[in-house]
Amino acid sequence: MADGLDRLWTPHRMTYISGEDRPEGGYEKPAGCPFCLAPGLPPERSLVVARGTHVFAVLNLYPYNPGHLLVCPYRHVADYTELDQAETVELAAFTQTAMRVVRQVSSAHGFNLGMNQGGVAGAGIAAHLHQHVVPRWGGDINFMPVIGRTKVLPQLLSDTRELLAHAWPS
């Protein structure tokens, strides 16, 4: 029955929703953890934007907004309290740099920053700590996510990665 609504399909999200891309053994072990695997992949496959000594910045494969970055330690740890001092300092510095770079390339008006600690707190990959850096713009929440439960992203992940990687200070 026709309901008068237009449809915008986002079939790529079904992989995430259904868990099709989960490794057989789960994310608990580094061998199945995408955050452990990403630094060893070519940039166009890994979506890694920048690398530090203890942490790296990578685009979220299922972003809330264009430029949604994750800052991850190389070490496979689940809880923020497990980071050593050097990892904690570099994670904070990378978060600041991520904000500066995203502002530079996309004029973000604000950011949501956060870590979901544990599956019950909403962490999709609870076994490997990651800090979300989500750029925000005035009016970026409209009827699509509120009523249509769909997010429209105007830029391909590979294009976003290129912009951010080129703007990241050496």
Side-chain angles (χ1 to χ4, degrees):
M1 176 179 281
D3 58 11
L5 298 175
D6 290 329
R7 301 285 189 254
L8 180 62
W9 302 103
T10 56
H12 68 280
R13 299 253 335 133
M14 281 310 295
T15 301
Y16 176 72
I17 293 166
S18 68
E20 284 177 41
D21 60 348
R22 284 184 183 269
E24 195 170 311
Y27 298 127
E28 286 66 33
K29 294 187 166 95
C33 175
F35 300 139
C36 289
L37 299 173
L41 298 173
E44 56 281 352
R45 278 200 48 224
S46 69
L47 299 176
V48 170
V49 171
R51 299 165 190 270
T53 304
H54 305 286
V55 304
F56 63 97
V58 61
L59 284 176
N60 188 328
L61 189 56
Y62 303 103
Y64 295 127
N65 273 340
H68 179 171
L69 288 165
L70 304 172
V71 180
C72 307
Y74 289 108
R75 209 162 51 93
H76 188 84
V77 297
D79 197 84
Y80 187 64
T81 62
E82 296 177 55
L83 293 179
D84 64 29
Q85 185 175 6
E87 290 167 326
T88 303
V89 168
E90 193 172 56
L91 187 133
F94 256 58
T95 300
Q96 290 176 324
T97 301
M99 292 172 65
R100 287 183 190 107
V101 169
V102 171
R103 275 193 185 114
Q104 176 186 334
V105 302
S106 66
S107 302
H109 299 151
F111 291 87
N112 290 117
L113 304 175
M115 293 180 207
N116 300 325
Q117 295 284 267
V120 298
I125 301 175
H128 196 131
L129 177 79
H130 52 285
Q131 163 103 340
H132 291 262
V133 180
V134 183
R136 301 299 304 270
W137 293 268
D140 68 3
I141 295 296
N142 57 32
F143 74 96
M144 290 301 290
V146 175
I147 296 171
R149 300 188 53 80
T150 300
K151 186 71 181 179
V152 179
L153 299 172
Q155 191 173 52
L156 295 173
L157 287 173
S158 58
D159 294 343
T160 304
R161 195 208 76 76
E162 281 295 312
L163 278 172
L164 297 175
H166 283 92
W168 201 278
S170 302

